[in-house]
Amino acid sequence: MAKKTDIKKDLIDQLERNGVYGSHYLDLINDYMCLWDIKNKLIRDIKERGVSVKYQNGTNQFGYKKNDSISELNKTNAQMLKILNELGLKASSMEAAVDDDEEM
């Protein structure tokens, strides 16, 4: 299972191999890694609560609604891809693994 530090190191290594240097690029990688944490928490939430969640607005008013984590996961993934594209990088094969050491 991939660790956060391994993914970050891989992204930095790709930048260096491409001859790209600078604090701006490292800051974008840090943004990417923050989104990576969020992505993993959203995935964990979907696994735990499912695609629909129960709500209750009052004593007799309740039902099920879609889990908002699904749409947020899609938005987060899209933003991560934009950052990679801006950096001229490709996602590592390590991306598929979720870091279970991260707390929710």
Side-chain angles (χ1 to χ4, degrees):
M1 183 174 323
K3 297 280 187 197
K4 182 178 177 179
T5 54
D6 294 336
I7 293 171
K8 184 174 180 178
K9 182 181 180 314
D10 181 64
L11 294 173
I12 292 170
D13 289 347
Q14 284 186 55
L15 276 181
E16 291 173 355
R17 283 193 304 270
N18 293 343
V20 178
Y21 300 95
S23 298
H24 170 72
Y25 298 108
L26 292 175
D27 190 48
L28 283 174
I29 287 178
N30 287 328
D31 290 347
Y32 180 89
M33 296 313 301
C34 288
L35 290 169
W36 186 82
D37 287 335
I38 293 167
K39 176 197 73 156
N40 290 332
K41 290 175 183 178
L42 290 168
I43 290 171
R44 201 171 304 125
D45 178 62
I46 294 166
K47 284 181 180 179
E48 289 174 4
R49 297 192 310 149
V51 295
S52 59
V53 294
K54 191 172 185 176
Y55 72 88
Q56 185 168 4
N57 290 336
T59 313
N60 295 321
Q61 187 178 9
F62 57 90
Y64 288 89
K65 67 174 192 156
K66 70 178 176 106
N67 186 339
D68 291 334
S69 292
I70 294 171
S71 61
E72 292 303 315
L73 177 60
N74 289 332
K75 293 174 189 175
T76 302
N77 278 333
Q79 189 61 36
M80 290 172 74
L81 290 172
K82 287 178 185 175
I83 290 173
L84 288 178
N85 188 48
E86 180 69 25
L87 293 170
L89 304 178
K90 297 183 184 211
S92 168
S93 61
M94 295 183 282
E95 281 295 316
V98 175
D99 189 352
D100 287 333
D101 296 333
E102 293 293 319
E103 292 182 16
M104 183 127 175

